[in-house]
Amino acid sequence: MTEPRRTERDLRDVIAQGRDFLPETMTVIENGEGPTVLVCGGIHGDEYEPQIVLRQVAREIRPEMVSGRLIIIPSINFPGAQRGQRLSTLDGANMNRTFPGAADGSPTERLSHFLSQELFPRCDLLIDLHTGGNEYRVVPLIFGFSDDRCRTGPAELESQMEAWGYRFIQYVEGVPSTAVGCALAQGLASVETEGGSGGPIDGAELSELHGNLMRGLARAGVIRSGPPASTAEPIRVRVGPQNQYPAPRDGIVEHHVALGDYVRKGARLATLHPVSDNGDEPLVIRSDVDGYVLRQNANAFVKAGALVGNTGSPVD
Ligand SMILES: [Zn+2]
């Protein structure tokens, strides 16, 4: 039985270069019996909505509100976030491709190693919060990973995801070098959320994320009460290779559909305008499948191969 308490750790101590940065606090709030849940933001440093919300949540949740142990890290990739960058400014790494990390690796690999080796083994659930960052606009959605080895099993995780209140639950192939992929390999269930408009912070999106997170934490049992679990039926969508539409060449994107729109196979998604007078005609990008528009590139100019956007096909 753990007495109610709050402890803090300065994550700058995890890496040798930490003191080149401002404090980044991991907050652990404990009280009695219950699950251990790790909530992490800022793996991509330019995804600021979760970082704002998690600093707020770390302040407002008192030990008396917790059952078990809640670990909050607003900005694990602080070497990126504190410099306004998606990637680490110490080694250029995309942190969400460095898991499980390495104890003697680059700064980003050490931070990943800290999560995967010191924290994941203690946890019943990982919550990894993402947004579109500077590159993308993303429909708010949730997805997750679990298997029969996980203490939060597949059916329980599905029920938890419904409770958060997102309009979309996404099903997608996991990537082993991501935080959630690494967690699953270690037998730890996870949920990951997306959402956010790219660029400026939207207060309504912050409120939605805060409310959804509190619903999710309450449903996971790590806080004693939260907003009531959602009763709305989410739309389940699967994202595979046929849902991605990369730019065939450098160009300037004009989107013809809005985030969340339902499009039919063959629908015009975007036009890629030429960036020069080399004679290229504007290129129309059409959807290969029926689906909802989940993600769009937030920039006008895109490089060949960059994702213009992706859809998600309804799951029957
Ligand atoms: Zn991200």
Side-chain angles (χ1 to χ4, degrees), residues 37-40 50 53-54 57-58 60-61 70 72 127-129 163-166 191 193 206-220 222-223 226-227:
V37 176
L38 167 62
V39 194
C40 197
V53 168
L54 288 180
V57 166
E60 71 191 13
I61 293 186
L70 178 61
I72 301 171
I127 298 173
D128 183 17
L129 304 179
W164 282 62
Y166 281 96
V191 296
T193 67
L206 293 181
S207 301
E208 180 183 4
L209 177 57
H210 183 275
N212 289 355
L213 174 62
M214 295 300 277
R215 265 191 289 277
L217 292 175
R219 177 60 186 77
V222 73
I223 59 173

PDB file of all heavy atoms in Angstrom, residues 37-40 50 53-54 57-58 60-61 70 72 127-129 163-166 191 193 206-220 222-223 226-227:
ATOM      1  N   VAL A  37       0.390   3.710 -14.821  1.00  0.00           N
ATOM      2  CA  VAL A  37       0.173   4.217 -16.178  1.00  0.00           C
ATOM      3  C   VAL A  37       1.197   5.311 -16.458  1.00  0.00           C
ATOM      4  O   VAL A  37       1.351   6.243 -15.664  1.00  0.00           O
ATOM      5  CB  VAL A  37      -1.261   4.775 -16.343  1.00  0.00           C
ATOM      6  CG1 VAL A  37      -1.445   5.392 -17.727  1.00  0.00           C
ATOM      7  CG2 VAL A  37      -2.294   3.673 -16.112  1.00  0.00           C
ATOM      8  N   LEU A  38       1.899   5.164 -17.570  1.00  0.00           N
ATOM      9  CA  LEU A  38       2.868   6.170 -18.018  1.00  0.00           C
ATOM     10  C   LEU A  38       2.253   6.976 -19.158  1.00  0.00           C
ATOM     11  O   LEU A  38       1.800   6.401 -20.149  1.00  0.00           O
ATOM     12  CB  LEU A  38       4.146   5.477 -18.509  1.00  0.00           C
ATOM     13  CG  LEU A  38       5.155   6.331 -19.291  1.00  0.00           C
ATOM     14  CD1 LEU A  38       5.688   7.477 -18.441  1.00  0.00           C
ATOM     15  CD2 LEU A  38       6.306   5.460 -19.805  1.00  0.00           C
ATOM     16  N   VAL A  39       2.217   8.302 -18.995  1.00  0.00           N
ATOM     17  CA  VAL A  39       1.726   9.181 -20.056  1.00  0.00           C
ATOM     18  C   VAL A  39       2.887  10.029 -20.543  1.00  0.00           C
ATOM     19  O   VAL A  39       3.552  10.706 -19.753  1.00  0.00           O
ATOM     20  CB  VAL A  39       0.604  10.124 -19.583  1.00  0.00           C
ATOM     21  CG1 VAL A  39      -0.082  10.754 -20.789  1.00  0.00           C
ATOM     22  CG2 VAL A  39      -0.390   9.401 -18.723  1.00  0.00           C
ATOM     23  N   CYS A  40       3.109   9.980 -21.836  1.00  0.00           N
ATOM     24  CA  CYS A  40       4.294  10.587 -22.412  1.00  0.00           C
ATOM     25  C   CYS A  40       3.908  11.508 -23.568  1.00  0.00           C
ATOM     26  O   CYS A  40       3.091  11.150 -24.404  1.00  0.00           O
ATOM     27  CB  CYS A  40       5.169   9.444 -22.922  1.00  0.00           C
ATOM     28  SG  CYS A  40       6.821   9.931 -23.224  1.00  0.00           S
ATOM     29  N   PRO A  50       0.101  18.084 -26.637  1.00  0.00           N
ATOM     30  CA  PRO A  50       0.205  17.176 -25.484  1.00  0.00           C
ATOM     31  C   PRO A  50       1.126  17.713 -24.387  1.00  0.00           C
ATOM     32  O   PRO A  50       0.886  17.467 -23.201  1.00  0.00           O
ATOM     33  CB  PRO A  50       0.791  15.895 -26.096  1.00  0.00           C
ATOM     34  CG  PRO A  50       0.442  15.965 -27.539  1.00  0.00           C
ATOM     35  CD  PRO A  50       0.489  17.420 -27.890  1.00  0.00           C
ATOM     36  N   VAL A  53      -0.859  20.176 -22.336  1.00  0.00           N
ATOM     37  CA  VAL A  53      -1.888  19.499 -21.533  1.00  0.00           C
ATOM     38  C   VAL A  53      -1.254  18.684 -20.402  1.00  0.00           C
ATOM     39  O   VAL A  53      -1.746  18.687 -19.270  1.00  0.00           O
ATOM     40  CB  VAL A  53      -2.766  18.609 -22.446  1.00  0.00           C
ATOM     41  CG1 VAL A  53      -3.640  17.670 -21.623  1.00  0.00           C
ATOM     42  CG2 VAL A  53      -3.624  19.486 -23.359  1.00  0.00           C
ATOM     43  N   LEU A  54      -0.131  18.022 -20.686  1.00  0.00           N
ATOM     44  CA  LEU A  54       0.473  17.178 -19.644  1.00  0.00           C
ATOM     45  C   LEU A  54       1.089  18.010 -18.526  1.00  0.00           C
ATOM     46  O   LEU A  54       1.070  17.594 -17.367  1.00  0.00           O
ATOM     47  CB  LEU A  54       1.505  16.228 -20.255  1.00  0.00           C
ATOM     48  CG  LEU A  54       0.891  15.094 -21.084  1.00  0.00           C
ATOM     49  CD1 LEU A  54       1.974  14.196 -21.656  1.00  0.00           C
ATOM     50  CD2 LEU A  54      -0.083  14.276 -20.238  1.00  0.00           C
ATOM     51  N   VAL A  57      -1.940  18.791 -16.478  1.00  0.00           N
ATOM     52  CA  VAL A  57      -2.443  17.619 -15.748  1.00  0.00           C
ATOM     53  C   VAL A  57      -1.510  17.275 -14.581  1.00  0.00           C
ATOM     54  O   VAL A  57      -1.960  16.919 -13.485  1.00  0.00           O
ATOM     55  CB  VAL A  57      -2.607  16.428 -16.719  1.00  0.00           C
ATOM     56  CG1 VAL A  57      -2.803  15.119 -15.976  1.00  0.00           C
ATOM     57  CG2 VAL A  57      -3.782  16.689 -17.657  1.00  0.00           C
ATOM     58  N   ALA A  58      -0.203  17.407 -14.798  1.00  0.00           N
ATOM     59  CA  ALA A  58       0.755  17.095 -13.727  1.00  0.00           C
ATOM     60  C   ALA A  58       0.555  18.023 -12.533  1.00  0.00           C
ATOM     61  O   ALA A  58       0.777  17.632 -11.385  1.00  0.00           O
ATOM     62  CB  ALA A  58       2.186  17.208 -14.258  1.00  0.00           C
ATOM     63  N   GLU A  60      -2.468  19.576 -11.801  1.00  0.00           N
ATOM     64  CA  GLU A  60      -3.820  19.554 -11.230  1.00  0.00           C
ATOM     65  C   GLU A  60      -4.190  18.226 -10.569  1.00  0.00           C
ATOM     66  O   GLU A  60      -5.122  18.187  -9.763  1.00  0.00           O
ATOM     67  CB  GLU A  60      -4.864  19.955 -12.277  1.00  0.00           C
ATOM     68  CG  GLU A  60      -5.094  18.936 -13.366  1.00  0.00           C
ATOM     69  CD  GLU A  60      -5.938  19.490 -14.518  1.00  0.00           C
ATOM     70  OE1 GLU A  60      -6.130  20.714 -14.597  1.00  0.00           O
ATOM     71  OE2 GLU A  60      -6.374  18.681 -15.344  1.00  0.00           O
ATOM     72  N   ILE A  61      -3.497  17.148 -10.907  1.00  0.00           N
ATOM     73  CA  ILE A  61      -3.838  15.866 -10.279  1.00  0.00           C
ATOM     74  C   ILE A  61      -3.111  15.754  -8.940  1.00  0.00           C
ATOM     75  O   ILE A  61      -1.882  15.795  -8.882  1.00  0.00           O
ATOM     76  CB  ILE A  61      -3.492  14.682 -11.200  1.00  0.00           C
ATOM     77  CG1 ILE A  61      -4.413  14.715 -12.429  1.00  0.00           C
ATOM     78  CG2 ILE A  61      -3.638  13.358 -10.455  1.00  0.00           C
ATOM     79  CD1 ILE A  61      -4.278  13.521 -13.341  1.00  0.00           C
ATOM     80  N   LEU A  70       0.618   7.117 -11.341  1.00  0.00           N
ATOM     81  CA  LEU A  70       0.545   7.842 -12.613  1.00  0.00           C
ATOM     82  C   LEU A  70       1.878   8.536 -12.840  1.00  0.00           C
ATOM     83  O   LEU A  70       2.326   9.320 -11.996  1.00  0.00           O
ATOM     84  CB  LEU A  70      -0.600   8.860 -12.565  1.00  0.00           C
ATOM     85  CG  LEU A  70      -0.782   9.746 -13.797  1.00  0.00           C
ATOM     86  CD1 LEU A  70      -1.076   8.910 -15.041  1.00  0.00           C
ATOM     87  CD2 LEU A  70      -1.900  10.761 -13.561  1.00  0.00           C
ATOM     88  N   ILE A  72       3.956  10.993 -15.354  1.00  0.00           N
ATOM     89  CA  ILE A  72       3.693  11.976 -16.408  1.00  0.00           C
ATOM     90  C   ILE A  72       5.010  12.574 -16.898  1.00  0.00           C
ATOM     91  O   ILE A  72       5.778  13.141 -16.115  1.00  0.00           O
ATOM     92  CB  ILE A  72       2.778  13.106 -15.897  1.00  0.00           C
ATOM     93  CG1 ILE A  72       1.444  12.531 -15.417  1.00  0.00           C
ATOM     94  CG2 ILE A  72       2.540  14.146 -16.994  1.00  0.00           C
ATOM     95  CD1 ILE A  72       0.567  13.546 -14.696  1.00  0.00           C
ATOM     96  N   ILE A 127       0.637   5.439 -22.407  1.00  0.00           N
ATOM     97  CA  ILE A 127      -0.156   6.372 -23.209  1.00  0.00           C
ATOM     98  C   ILE A 127       0.822   7.337 -23.868  1.00  0.00           C
ATOM     99  O   ILE A 127       1.549   8.057 -23.182  1.00  0.00           O
ATOM    100  CB  ILE A 127      -1.166   7.150 -22.336  1.00  0.00           C
ATOM    101  CG1 ILE A 127      -2.162   6.182 -21.684  1.00  0.00           C
ATOM    102  CG2 ILE A 127      -1.894   8.200 -23.174  1.00  0.00           C
ATOM    103  CD1 ILE A 127      -3.090   6.853 -20.670  1.00  0.00           C
ATOM    104  N   ASP A 128       0.868   7.318 -25.199  1.00  0.00           N
ATOM    105  CA  ASP A 128       1.823   8.132 -25.948  1.00  0.00           C
ATOM    106  C   ASP A 128       1.029   9.133 -26.781  1.00  0.00           C
ATOM    107  O   ASP A 128       0.280   8.741 -27.674  1.00  0.00           O
ATOM    108  CB  ASP A 128       2.674   7.203 -26.831  1.00  0.00           C
ATOM    109  CG  ASP A 128       3.743   7.964 -27.595  1.00  0.00           C
ATOM    110  OD1 ASP A 128       4.047   9.115 -27.223  1.00  0.00           O
ATOM    111  OD2 ASP A 128       4.274   7.399 -28.571  1.00  0.00           O
ATOM    112  N   LEU A 129       1.191  10.416 -26.469  1.00  0.00           N
ATOM    113  CA  LEU A 129       0.363  11.453 -27.090  1.00  0.00           C
ATOM    114  C   LEU A 129       1.124  12.156 -28.209  1.00  0.00           C
ATOM    115  O   LEU A 129       2.216  12.678 -27.991  1.00  0.00           O
ATOM    116  CB  LEU A 129      -0.068  12.486 -26.036  1.00  0.00           C
ATOM    117  CG  LEU A 129      -0.812  11.935 -24.817  1.00  0.00           C
ATOM    118  CD1 LEU A 129      -1.142  13.074 -23.850  1.00  0.00           C
ATOM    119  CD2 LEU A 129      -2.077  11.205 -25.224  1.00  0.00           C
ATOM    120  N   ALA A 163     -13.737   4.462 -24.536  1.00  0.00           N
ATOM    121  CA  ALA A 163     -14.100   5.372 -23.445  1.00  0.00           C
ATOM    122  C   ALA A 163     -13.484   6.761 -23.598  1.00  0.00           C
ATOM    123  O   ALA A 163     -14.018   7.744 -23.081  1.00  0.00           O
ATOM    124  CB  ALA A 163     -13.679   4.765 -22.107  1.00  0.00           C
ATOM    125  N   TRP A 164     -12.344   6.858 -24.310  1.00  0.00           N
ATOM    126  CA  TRP A 164     -11.680   8.161 -24.449  1.00  0.00           C
ATOM    127  C   TRP A 164     -12.577   9.186 -25.135  1.00  0.00           C
ATOM    128  O   TRP A 164     -12.501  10.373 -24.838  1.00  0.00           O
ATOM    129  CB  TRP A 164     -10.381   8.014 -25.252  1.00  0.00           C
ATOM    130  CG  TRP A 164      -9.210   7.461 -24.503  1.00  0.00           C
ATOM    131  CD1 TRP A 164      -9.105   6.228 -23.928  1.00  0.00           C
ATOM    132  CD2 TRP A 164      -7.964   8.118 -24.264  1.00  0.00           C
ATOM    133  NE1 TRP A 164      -7.869   6.086 -23.356  1.00  0.00           N
ATOM    134  CE2 TRP A 164      -7.152   7.227 -23.546  1.00  0.00           C
ATOM    135  CE3 TRP A 164      -7.457   9.375 -24.600  1.00  0.00           C
ATOM    136  CZ2 TRP A 164      -5.858   7.557 -23.145  1.00  0.00           C
ATOM    137  CZ3 TRP A 164      -6.163   9.702 -24.208  1.00  0.00           C
ATOM    138  CH2 TRP A 164      -5.381   8.797 -23.483  1.00  0.00           C
ATOM    139  N   GLY A 165     -13.388   8.717 -26.114  1.00  0.00           N
ATOM    140  CA  GLY A 165     -14.316   9.638 -26.766  1.00  0.00           C
ATOM    141  C   GLY A 165     -13.865  10.155 -28.114  1.00  0.00           C
ATOM    142  O   GLY A 165     -14.462  11.093 -28.645  1.00  0.00           O
ATOM    143  N   TYR A 166     -12.833   9.561 -28.694  1.00  0.00           N
ATOM    144  CA  TYR A 166     -12.423   9.992 -30.031  1.00  0.00           C
ATOM    145  C   TYR A 166     -13.430   9.522 -31.077  1.00  0.00           C
ATOM    146  O   TYR A 166     -14.023   8.455 -30.955  1.00  0.00           O
ATOM    147  CB  TYR A 166     -11.025   9.442 -30.371  1.00  0.00           C
ATOM    148  CG  TYR A 166      -9.920  10.247 -29.730  1.00  0.00           C
ATOM    149  CD1 TYR A 166      -9.354   9.853 -28.527  1.00  0.00           C
ATOM    150  CD2 TYR A 166      -9.474  11.416 -30.322  1.00  0.00           C
ATOM    151  CE1 TYR A 166      -8.354  10.607 -27.930  1.00  0.00           C
ATOM    152  CE2 TYR A 166      -8.475  12.176 -29.738  1.00  0.00           C
ATOM    153  CZ  TYR A 166      -7.919  11.765 -28.545  1.00  0.00           C
ATOM    154  OH  TYR A 166      -6.941  12.518 -27.961  1.00  0.00           O
ATOM    155  N   VAL A 191      -1.768   2.876 -25.725  1.00  0.00           N
ATOM    156  CA  VAL A 191      -2.599   3.640 -26.650  1.00  0.00           C
ATOM    157  C   VAL A 191      -1.785   4.836 -27.112  1.00  0.00           C
ATOM    158  O   VAL A 191      -0.913   5.341 -26.394  1.00  0.00           O
ATOM    159  CB  VAL A 191      -3.934   4.124 -26.039  1.00  0.00           C
ATOM    160  CG1 VAL A 191      -4.811   2.953 -25.669  1.00  0.00           C
ATOM    161  CG2 VAL A 191      -3.714   5.042 -24.866  1.00  0.00           C
ATOM    162  N   THR A 193      -2.413   8.600 -29.245  1.00  0.00           N
ATOM    163  CA  THR A 193      -3.416   9.500 -29.806  1.00  0.00           C
ATOM    164  C   THR A 193      -2.755  10.448 -30.788  1.00  0.00           C
ATOM    165  O   THR A 193      -1.568  10.762 -30.695  1.00  0.00           O
ATOM    166  CB  THR A 193      -4.137  10.326 -28.724  1.00  0.00           C
ATOM    167  OG1 THR A 193      -3.213  11.230 -28.118  1.00  0.00           O
ATOM    168  CG2 THR A 193      -4.747   9.433 -27.666  1.00  0.00           C
ATOM    169  N   LEU A 206      -6.875  21.740 -27.380  1.00  0.00           N
ATOM    170  CA  LEU A 206      -6.300  21.479 -26.055  1.00  0.00           C
ATOM    171  C   LEU A 206      -7.376  20.954 -25.111  1.00  0.00           C
ATOM    172  O   LEU A 206      -7.154  19.997 -24.369  1.00  0.00           O
ATOM    173  CB  LEU A 206      -5.686  22.756 -25.471  1.00  0.00           C
ATOM    174  CG  LEU A 206      -4.460  23.334 -26.166  1.00  0.00           C
ATOM    175  CD1 LEU A 206      -3.988  24.578 -25.425  1.00  0.00           C
ATOM    176  CD2 LEU A 206      -3.343  22.313 -26.262  1.00  0.00           C
ATOM    177  N   SER A 207      -8.550  21.595 -25.139  1.00  0.00           N
ATOM    178  CA  SER A 207      -9.645  21.168 -24.256  1.00  0.00           C
ATOM    179  C   SER A 207     -10.074  19.744 -24.582  1.00  0.00           C
ATOM    180  O   SER A 207     -10.330  18.942 -23.675  1.00  0.00           O
ATOM    181  CB  SER A 207     -10.859  22.089 -24.410  1.00  0.00           C
ATOM    182  OG  SER A 207     -10.506  23.393 -24.111  1.00  0.00           O
ATOM    183  N   GLU A 208     -10.163  19.437 -25.882  1.00  0.00           N
ATOM    184  CA  GLU A 208     -10.586  18.091 -26.266  1.00  0.00           C
ATOM    185  C   GLU A 208      -9.570  17.059 -25.789  1.00  0.00           C
ATOM    186  O   GLU A 208      -9.932  16.022 -25.224  1.00  0.00           O
ATOM    187  CB  GLU A 208     -10.757  17.992 -27.788  1.00  0.00           C
ATOM    188  CG  GLU A 208     -11.197  16.601 -28.227  1.00  0.00           C
ATOM    189  CD  GLU A 208     -11.318  16.431 -29.733  1.00  0.00           C
ATOM    190  OE1 GLU A 208     -10.985  17.375 -30.476  1.00  0.00           O
ATOM    191  OE2 GLU A 208     -11.740  15.341 -30.155  1.00  0.00           O
ATOM    192  N   LEU A 209      -8.294  17.360 -25.994  1.00  0.00           N
ATOM    193  CA  LEU A 209      -7.254  16.418 -25.569  1.00  0.00           C
ATOM    194  C   LEU A 209      -7.291  16.234 -24.052  1.00  0.00           C
ATOM    195  O   LEU A 209      -7.203  15.110 -23.546  1.00  0.00           O
ATOM    196  CB  LEU A 209      -5.876  16.919 -26.019  1.00  0.00           C
ATOM    197  CG  LEU A 209      -4.679  16.070 -25.577  1.00  0.00           C
ATOM    198  CD1 LEU A 209      -4.809  14.622 -26.059  1.00  0.00           C
ATOM    199  CD2 LEU A 209      -3.369  16.685 -26.067  1.00  0.00           C
ATOM    200  N   HIS A 210      -7.434  17.333 -23.327  1.00  0.00           N
ATOM    201  CA  HIS A 210      -7.480  17.250 -21.866  1.00  0.00           C
ATOM    202  C   HIS A 210      -8.658  16.382 -21.415  1.00  0.00           C
ATOM    203  O   HIS A 210      -8.504  15.475 -20.590  1.00  0.00           O
ATOM    204  CB  HIS A 210      -7.583  18.659 -21.274  1.00  0.00           C
ATOM    205  CG  HIS A 210      -7.570  18.688 -19.783  1.00  0.00           C
ATOM    206  ND1 HIS A 210      -8.711  18.519 -19.024  1.00  0.00           N
ATOM    207  CD2 HIS A 210      -6.557  18.848 -18.901  1.00  0.00           C
ATOM    208  CE1 HIS A 210      -8.401  18.577 -17.745  1.00  0.00           C
ATOM    209  NE2 HIS A 210      -7.096  18.778 -17.635  1.00  0.00           N
ATOM    210  N   GLY A 211      -9.832  16.647 -21.976  1.00  0.00           N
ATOM    211  CA  GLY A 211     -11.019  15.878 -21.593  1.00  0.00           C
ATOM    212  C   GLY A 211     -10.879  14.406 -21.941  1.00  0.00           C
ATOM    213  O   GLY A 211     -11.186  13.521 -21.130  1.00  0.00           O
ATOM    214  N   ASN A 212     -10.394  14.134 -23.159  1.00  0.00           N
ATOM    215  CA  ASN A 212     -10.236  12.741 -23.583  1.00  0.00           C
ATOM    216  C   ASN A 212      -9.226  12.017 -22.704  1.00  0.00           C
ATOM    217  O   ASN A 212      -9.437  10.864 -22.302  1.00  0.00           O
ATOM    218  CB  ASN A 212      -9.793  12.678 -25.048  1.00  0.00           C
ATOM    219  CG  ASN A 212     -10.901  13.084 -26.007  1.00  0.00           C
ATOM    220  OD1 ASN A 212     -12.030  13.334 -25.586  1.00  0.00           O
ATOM    221  ND2 ASN A 212     -10.578  13.162 -27.282  1.00  0.00           N
ATOM    222  N   LEU A 213      -8.118  12.690 -22.407  1.00  0.00           N
ATOM    223  CA  LEU A 213      -7.089  12.066 -21.567  1.00  0.00           C
ATOM    224  C   LEU A 213      -7.649  11.745 -20.182  1.00  0.00           C
ATOM    225  O   LEU A 213      -7.421  10.643 -19.655  1.00  0.00           O
ATOM    226  CB  LEU A 213      -5.877  12.994 -21.454  1.00  0.00           C
ATOM    227  CG  LEU A 213      -4.780  12.534 -20.491  1.00  0.00           C
ATOM    228  CD1 LEU A 213      -4.173  11.202 -20.924  1.00  0.00           C
ATOM    229  CD2 LEU A 213      -3.687  13.600 -20.361  1.00  0.00           C
ATOM    230  N   MET A 214      -8.370  12.681 -19.592  1.00  0.00           N
ATOM    231  CA  MET A 214      -8.912  12.436 -18.252  1.00  0.00           C
ATOM    232  C   MET A 214      -9.920  11.284 -18.281  1.00  0.00           C
ATOM    233  O   MET A 214      -9.971  10.467 -17.357  1.00  0.00           O
ATOM    234  CB  MET A 214      -9.552  13.710 -17.693  1.00  0.00           C
ATOM    235  CG  MET A 214      -8.557  14.845 -17.466  1.00  0.00           C
ATOM    236  SD  MET A 214      -7.238  14.450 -16.288  1.00  0.00           S
ATOM    237  CE  MET A 214      -8.078  14.791 -14.743  1.00  0.00           C
ATOM    238  N   ARG A 215     -10.731  11.201 -19.357  1.00  0.00           N
ATOM    239  CA  ARG A 215     -11.641  10.056 -19.509  1.00  0.00           C
ATOM    240  C   ARG A 215     -10.851   8.756 -19.603  1.00  0.00           C
ATOM    241  O   ARG A 215     -11.206   7.754 -18.981  1.00  0.00           O
ATOM    242  CB  ARG A 215     -12.488  10.213 -20.779  1.00  0.00           C
ATOM    243  CG  ARG A 215     -13.847  10.844 -20.553  1.00  0.00           C
ATOM    244  CD  ARG A 215     -14.718  10.710 -21.797  1.00  0.00           C
ATOM    245  NE  ARG A 215     -14.240  11.580 -22.859  1.00  0.00           N
ATOM    246  CZ  ARG A 215     -14.555  12.862 -22.938  1.00  0.00           C
ATOM    247  NH1 ARG A 215     -15.358  13.405 -22.045  1.00  0.00           N
ATOM    248  NH2 ARG A 215     -14.088  13.608 -23.902  1.00  0.00           N
ATOM    249  N   GLY A 216      -9.770   8.799 -20.385  1.00  0.00           N
ATOM    250  CA  GLY A 216      -8.952   7.601 -20.569  1.00  0.00           C
ATOM    251  C   GLY A 216      -8.276   7.170 -19.277  1.00  0.00           C
ATOM    252  O   GLY A 216      -8.223   5.978 -18.958  1.00  0.00           O
ATOM    253  N   LEU A 217      -7.764   8.140 -18.518  1.00  0.00           N
ATOM    254  CA  LEU A 217      -7.095   7.812 -17.251  1.00  0.00           C
ATOM    255  C   LEU A 217      -8.095   7.240 -16.251  1.00  0.00           C
ATOM    256  O   LEU A 217      -7.785   6.297 -15.513  1.00  0.00           O
ATOM    257  CB  LEU A 217      -6.418   9.061 -16.667  1.00  0.00           C
ATOM    258  CG  LEU A 217      -5.224   9.617 -17.447  1.00  0.00           C
ATOM    259  CD1 LEU A 217      -4.736  10.919 -16.811  1.00  0.00           C
ATOM    260  CD2 LEU A 217      -4.088   8.603 -17.527  1.00  0.00           C
ATOM    261  N   ALA A 218      -9.299   7.813 -16.236  1.00  0.00           N
ATOM    262  CA  ALA A 218     -10.325   7.304 -15.317  1.00  0.00           C
ATOM    263  C   ALA A 218     -10.737   5.891 -15.715  1.00  0.00           C
ATOM    264  O   ALA A 218     -10.861   5.004 -14.867  1.00  0.00           O
ATOM    265  CB  ALA A 218     -11.535   8.242 -15.312  1.00  0.00           C
ATOM    266  N   ARG A 219     -10.904   5.666 -17.017  1.00  0.00           N
ATOM    267  CA  ARG A 219     -11.304   4.337 -17.483  1.00  0.00           C
ATOM    268  C   ARG A 219     -10.205   3.306 -17.219  1.00  0.00           C
ATOM    269  O   ARG A 219     -10.491   2.139 -16.930  1.00  0.00           O
ATOM    270  CB  ARG A 219     -11.653   4.406 -18.971  1.00  0.00           C
ATOM    271  CG  ARG A 219     -12.016   3.082 -19.600  1.00  0.00           C
ATOM    272  CD  ARG A 219     -13.230   2.433 -18.937  1.00  0.00           C
ATOM    273  NE  ARG A 219     -13.463   1.096 -19.490  1.00  0.00           N
ATOM    274  CZ  ARG A 219     -12.752   0.031 -19.156  1.00  0.00           C
ATOM    275  NH1 ARG A 219     -11.792   0.116 -18.255  1.00  0.00           N
ATOM    276  NH2 ARG A 219     -13.021  -1.142 -19.710  1.00  0.00           N
ATOM    277  N   ALA A 220      -8.943   3.752 -17.285  1.00  0.00           N
ATOM    278  CA  ALA A 220      -7.825   2.848 -16.986  1.00  0.00           C
ATOM    279  C   ALA A 220      -7.727   2.573 -15.492  1.00  0.00           C
ATOM    280  O   ALA A 220      -6.993   1.679 -15.069  1.00  0.00           O
ATOM    281  CB  ALA A 220      -6.514   3.445 -17.504  1.00  0.00           C
ATOM    282  N   VAL A 222      -6.579   4.642 -13.101  1.00  0.00           N
ATOM    283  CA  VAL A 222      -5.449   5.248 -12.388  1.00  0.00           C
ATOM    284  C   VAL A 222      -5.834   6.577 -11.738  1.00  0.00           C
ATOM    285  O   VAL A 222      -5.126   7.062 -10.867  1.00  0.00           O
ATOM    286  CB  VAL A 222      -4.225   5.402 -13.322  1.00  0.00           C
ATOM    287  CG1 VAL A 222      -4.427   6.531 -14.336  1.00  0.00           C
ATOM    288  CG2 VAL A 222      -2.946   5.598 -12.522  1.00  0.00           C
ATOM    289  N   ILE A 223      -6.951   7.176 -12.169  1.00  0.00           N
ATOM    290  CA  ILE A 223      -7.535   8.267 -11.380  1.00  0.00           C
ATOM    291  C   ILE A 223      -8.946   7.847 -10.988  1.00  0.00           C
ATOM    292  O   ILE A 223      -9.604   7.077 -11.689  1.00  0.00           O
ATOM    293  CB  ILE A 223      -7.531   9.635 -12.109  1.00  0.00           C
ATOM    294  CG1 ILE A 223      -8.303   9.594 -13.419  1.00  0.00           C
ATOM    295  CG2 ILE A 223      -6.107  10.122 -12.332  1.00  0.00           C
ATOM    296  CD1 ILE A 223      -8.450  10.968 -14.082  1.00  0.00           C
ATOM    297  N   GLY A 226     -13.258  10.990 -13.377  1.00  0.00           N
ATOM    298  CA  GLY A 226     -12.961  11.872 -14.497  1.00  0.00           C
ATOM    299  C   GLY A 226     -14.259  12.170 -15.186  1.00  0.00           C
ATOM    300  O   GLY A 226     -15.324  11.791 -14.699  1.00  0.00           O
ATOM    301  N   PRO A 227     -14.207  12.836 -16.321  1.00  0.00           N
ATOM    302  CA  PRO A 227     -15.431  13.032 -17.094  1.00  0.00           C
ATOM    303  C   PRO A 227     -16.026  11.660 -17.411  1.00  0.00           C
ATOM    304  O   PRO A 227     -15.284  10.686 -17.524  1.00  0.00           O
ATOM    305  CB  PRO A 227     -14.945  13.730 -18.369  1.00  0.00           C
ATOM    306  CG  PRO A 227     -13.575  14.235 -18.067  1.00  0.00           C
ATOM    307  CD  PRO A 227     -13.009  13.344 -17.009  1.00  0.00           C
TER     308      PRO A 227
END
